[in-house]
Amino acid sequence: MSEENIATVRRLIEEVWNKGNLSLVNELIADEGVLHDPQIPPVHGTEGYKQFVSMYRSVFPDLHTSPLKTLSPKVTRLCAAGQPLALRGATCRTSLPRANNQR
């Protein structure tokens, strides 16, 4: 994986996810980018990504995300070749969303 790609991923995680700096999304995420998560519908483009991060951080204000240290060789090759990036990570949080228990 190129040093530039590693720096981009670190910036995305540290600045956007951990600090909530949404102004960097346009610089770090492609307009045609799609976030795929098995628990939600696909998130399209920079505006969709900003909305998703904002929503996620509002539910989990103490969110801390970090990339897993080991990426598969296939992902490393894709990154080095300038192809779309696949990233697997771990998320830590202590808060849980409140359930709406109104009767």
Side-chain angles (χ1 to χ4, degrees), residues 16-19 53 56-57 60-65 91-95:
V16 176
W17 282 99
N18 292 343
K19 296 179 182 176
V53 171
Y56 203 91
R57 288 183 48 79
F60 302 109
D62 63 340
L63 175 77
H64 182 80
T65 302
T91 301
C92 298
R93 57 192 181 262
T94 57
S95 62

Side-chain angles (χ1 to χ4, degrees), residues 75-88:
V75 171
T76 302
R77 283 195 302 274
L78 286 173
C79 292
Q83 298 297 316
L85 174 63
L87 177 67
R88 181 175 59 168

Side-chain angles (χ1 to χ4, degrees), residues 22-60:
L22 299 179
S23 65
L24 290 177
V25 170
N26 289 350
E27 179 183 337
L28 301 175
I29 300 292
D31 289 337
E32 65 277 4
V34 180
L35 172 68
H36 294 280
D37 184 315
Q39 299 177 357
I40 62 168
V43 176
H44 295 271
T46 55
E47 291 307 312
Y49 198 87
K50 288 178 196 177
Q51 290 171 3
F52 178 68
V53 171
S54 181
M55 180 276 308
Y56 203 91
R57 288 183 48 79
S58 71
V59 174
F60 302 109

